[in-house]
Amino acid sequence: MEDEAFTDINGKSISLDCQSHSSLCSEFIVSVPKVSIGKVMVYTCCVWLLAYAVFFFTENTAVLSSAIFITLVGMMLHIHFVKVDHESLLVIGSLGIQVSSSYASGRETTTFIEMSKIKDIVINEAIYMHQIIYYLCVLLKEPSDPNAVSSVVPLFQSSKPRLNCLVKVYKSCQEIISKC
Amino acid sequence: MVAKSPSPLPERAIYGFVLFLGSQFGFFLFCLWAYIPEEWLHSIGLTYWPQKYWALAVPIYLLVALVITVVLLFGVNMNNTAPLDSVDIITDVYAQGQRTTDCRKGGIPRLKDVSISEVNKMFYLSPKL
C-alpha cells in the first residue's frame, strides 16, 4: 500500500492506493477529498441571502420556500450523481479489468471489460477545454481486426490525476497485461 | 515574384500612410454628417442621405457583432474538439492505411506514424538515463 502527495489536473490533492493482491492481480484506488462542510455552508448562506433579498423587494414568500427546496434537492442530486468519492481500477491478468466509481451518497457504478477485448492500456494526451491533459485509457479491439482500435474508454474521469500518478498505474498494468 | 518578405519597404510605407490619412479624413466626414442638423443639410441640397439613427446604430451593431464573434469562435472550437473517448484521438484513416514494409535495407526508415502503445513503452517503461 502506498500513499504519496498526488494532485489532479486542477491542483487539488488526491490520494492513490495501489494494492497488489498477487502477481496477476492488482487494484488501484484514486480517492478525491470529501465534500467540505465549509463550502456547503458558504453556498447555502449565499443562496438563502440572495433569496431573502429577492423576498425583501417582492414580498413573495414563495421565493423563500422555493430557495430552501432548491438547495435541498440540489445538494441531494449533487452527492448522488456528481460528487465522486473514489474511483478504482482492478486488473486481473487473462480475465479482464473492472472499472468502478463510487459516489458520495454510496452509489457505485461498475464496468467490466474482458481481456480478449482489450488491446492495450495507454497514457494519452488530449485537448480538454482550454488545456492539454494526460489521461489513462483502455484501447478496445474489434474481433474482426485485431490491429485496429475500435473504441477508447478513458479511466479516472472524475478524479483526473496528473502524470506522476498515471505513470505508476501504467507501469503496474503493463506488468500484468504483458504477462498474459 | 520580386517582394515576398514581410520587411518594410518604401512603397509599403507610402501605402500605409495614404490609408491612414484616408481613414482619418473618412472619420472626419462621418462626424460632419452625424453632427450637422438635418435642416442645414437640406438647405445645402443634400436630401437623400441616411437617417441620423444609423450614426448610432451602425457602431453599436459592429461592436456587439465583434463581441459575439469572439465568444462564438471559442465556442465553435471547443464544440469541434474531439471528446476524450473518441477514436480520432488515437488514430485516423491515414495512419491506419500506411505501408509498414521498408523498401530498402540499411537505409533511412520510412516516415510513419508510431502507434501509441510503442510511444508509451518508450516514454514510460524505458529505464531512466
Side-chain angles (χ1 to χ4, degrees):
Chain A
M1 292 217 208
E2 294 151 38
D3 243 10
E4 289 173 38
F6 295 112
T7 69
D8 71 351
I9 55 173
N10 295 322
K12 287 201 287 274
S13 69
I14 59 174
S15 71
L16 171 71
D17 185 19
C18 309
Q19 295 174 16
S20 169
H21 300 295
S22 81
S23 68
L24 282 178
C25 169
S26 61
E27 184 170 12
F28 311 96
I29 306 177
V30 173
S31 318
V32 184
K34 314 262 193 285
V35 182
S36 76
I37 194 74
K39 257 182 138 184
V40 168
M41 282 181 56
V42 164
Y43 278 134
T44 315
C45 286
C46 284
V47 172
W48 286 0
L49 281 176
L50 199 67
Y52 185 73
V54 174
F55 165 73
F56 188 71
F57 288 113
T58 60
E59 301 291 329
N60 187 4
T61 52
V63 172
L64 293 176
S65 33
S66 64
I68 296 177
F69 182 67
I70 287 176
T71 38
L72 282 178
V73 169
M75 279 200 282
M76 286 199 298
L77 291 178
H78 182 79
I79 62 172
H80 193 68
F81 290 113
V82 174
K83 179 79 183 116
V84 164
D85 186 50
H86 60 264
E87 294 175 298
S88 82
L89 171 71
L90 173 68
V91 182
I92 306 176
S94 79
L95 187 65
I97 69 173
Q98 173 173 287
V99 181
S100 93
S101 62
S102 109
Y103 294 85
S105 65
R107 180 171 80 105
E108 271 204 46
T109 55
T110 319
T111 322
F112 178 77
I113 308 174
E114 287 178 289
M115 199 49 97
S116 61
K117 291 205 183 89
I118 296 176
K119 185 162 187 279
D120 203 0
I121 299 183
V122 296
I123 299 180
N124 194 15
E125 304 136 33
I127 300 176
Y128 176 74
M129 306 272 251
H130 57 278
Q131 52 186 337
I132 299 183
I133 60 168
Y134 292 99
Y135 66 105
L136 197 66
C137 57
V138 182
L139 305 179
L140 304 181
K141 64 184 177 202
E142 276 167 60
S144 57
D145 186 5
N147 278 334
V149 178
S150 79
S151 64
V152 173
V153 177
L155 305 173
F156 300 126
Q157 281 295 87
S158 307
S159 38
K160 289 201 173 56
R162 279 197 178 159
L163 188 62
N164 44 6
C165 180
L166 294 178
V167 168
K168 265 185 109 143
V169 179
Y170 172 76
K171 282 184 179 162
S172 313
C173 285
Q174 285 294 321
E175 278 174 19
I176 298 177
I177 290 187
S178 55
K179 271 190 215 157
C180 63
Chain B
M1 283 291 199
V2 178
K4 266 205 171 172
S5 68
S7 61
L9 294 172
E11 295 87 23
R12 291 176 178 169
I14 294 174
Y15 299 154
F17 193 55
V18 163
L19 274 177
F20 170 71
L21 286 180
S23 61
Q24 294 287 354
F25 185 58
F27 181 62
F28 175 66
L29 290 181
F30 169 76
C31 281
L32 273 185
W33 163 70
Y35 278 110
I36 294 181
E38 287 233 343
E39 306 85 33
W40 296 14
L41 288 178
H42 287 338
S43 66
I44 301 178
L46 307 167
T47 51
Y48 201 62
W49 282 59
Q51 284 181 323
K52 292 305 175 75
Y53 161 80
W54 293 108
L56 286 177
V58 169
I60 295 179
Y61 270 131
L62 285 178
L63 287 175
V64 170
L66 187 69
V67 171
I68 290 185
T69 306
V70 170
V71 174
L72 210 65
L73 190 68
F74 197 57
V76 166
N77 267 322
M78 278 179 67
N79 203 26
N80 285 341
T81 308
L84 290 186
D85 58 357
S86 86
V87 190
D88 297 325
I89 295 190
I90 305 284
T91 181
D92 68 351
V93 178
Y94 302 102
Q96 278 167 354
Q98 59 185 346
R99 286 190 282 172
T100 48
T101 56
D102 289 325
C103 294
R104 197 180 298 203
K105 291 259 184 253
I108 299 176
R110 176 187 289 274
L111 187 71
K112 64 177 177 144
D113 185 41
V114 185
S115 78
I116 187 162
S117 310
E118 274 187 58
V119 173
N120 265 331
K121 289 193 176 71
M122 265 187 270
F123 274 144
Y124 307 120
L125 288 182
S126 60
K128 293 282 178 232
L129 292 167

